[in-house]
């Protein structure tokens, strides 16, 4: 009874997915626009691009549910892709906030793009 009362309907899940994915895309686009601001632009780009990717990953939790998403993320077939993707997200934020290295943040953003592509492809059977 508790599970039935807390689960979302399919329409609500789709709306949550679309909203979260749209926010992720908006953050990524905003980060790209902020890239050209002198001195702080590269750091802002790294932060907004990373937040956009996190939001996009979070959007799929609306469709599958958080526990099923986490189980799928750490299945043996996509474990390495998940670890590389999460590591790139963390290293991008570390290089932007703690190390304050704009060039390193840009490098990790590029690696983050490829890691996200590899992670996304891992959900397509026989695509890797």
């Amino acid at each position: 009874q508790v599970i039935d009362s807390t689960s979302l309907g399919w329409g609500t899940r789709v709306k949550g997915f679309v909203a979260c994915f749209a926010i992720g895309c908006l953050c990524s686009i905003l980060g790209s626009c902020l890239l050209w601001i002198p001195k702080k632009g590269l750091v802002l780009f790294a932060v907004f691009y990373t937040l956009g990717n996190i939001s996009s990953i979070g959007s799929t939790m609306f469709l599958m549910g958080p526990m099923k998403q986490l189980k799928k993320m750490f299945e043996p077939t996509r474990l390495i892709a998940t670890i590389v993707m999460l590591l790139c997200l963390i290293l991008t934020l570390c290089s932007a906030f703690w190390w304050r290295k704009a060039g390193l943040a840009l490098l990790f953003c590029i690696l983050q793009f490829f890691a996200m592509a590899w992670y996304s492809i891992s959900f397509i059977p026989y695509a890797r």
Side-chain angles (χ1 to χ4, degrees):
Q1 187 178 14
V2 173
I3 293 173
D4 290 336
S5 65
T6 58
S7 64
L8 300 173
W10 182 248
T12 307
R13 287 177 184 260
V14 170
K15 289 175 189 174
F17 167 77
V18 169
C20 208
F21 191 77
I23 289 170
C25 290
L26 183 66
C27 283
S28 296
I29 291 169
L30 180 63
S32 298
C33 294
L34 294 174
L35 180 62
W36 307 110
I37 293 176
K39 295 185 182 179
K40 295 285 183 185
L42 200 51
V43 172
L44 289 172
F45 165 71
V47 169
F48 277 98
Y49 186 75
T50 302
L51 290 175
N53 281 337
I54 291 170
S55 180
S56 295
I57 292 169
S59 69
T60 58
M61 289 189 184
F62 281 101
L63 296 178
M64 286 190 241
M67 291 311 294
K68 189 173 180 183
Q69 172 74 14
L70 288 173
K71 285 179 185 174
K72 284 189 173 276
M73 285 176 73
F74 292 101
E75 285 179 350
T77 57
R78 67 181 60 89
L79 180 63
I80 295 172
T82 300
I83 291 171
V84 170
M85 185 244 340
L86 292 175
L87 190 64
C88 286
L89 291 172
I90 291 167
L91 289 174
T92 301
L93 294 176
C94 286
S95 63
F97 287 121
W98 286 284
W99 304 326
R100 301 202 187 276
K101 303 282 184 187
L104 198 57
L106 182 62
L107 174 67
F108 285 128
C109 280
I110 293 167
L111 292 174
Q112 192 180 128
F113 172 79
F114 288 115
M116 287 294 292
W118 183 26
Y119 170 76
S120 298
I121 288 171
S122 74
F123 280 93
I124 302 170
Y126 304 107
R128 293 173 289 127

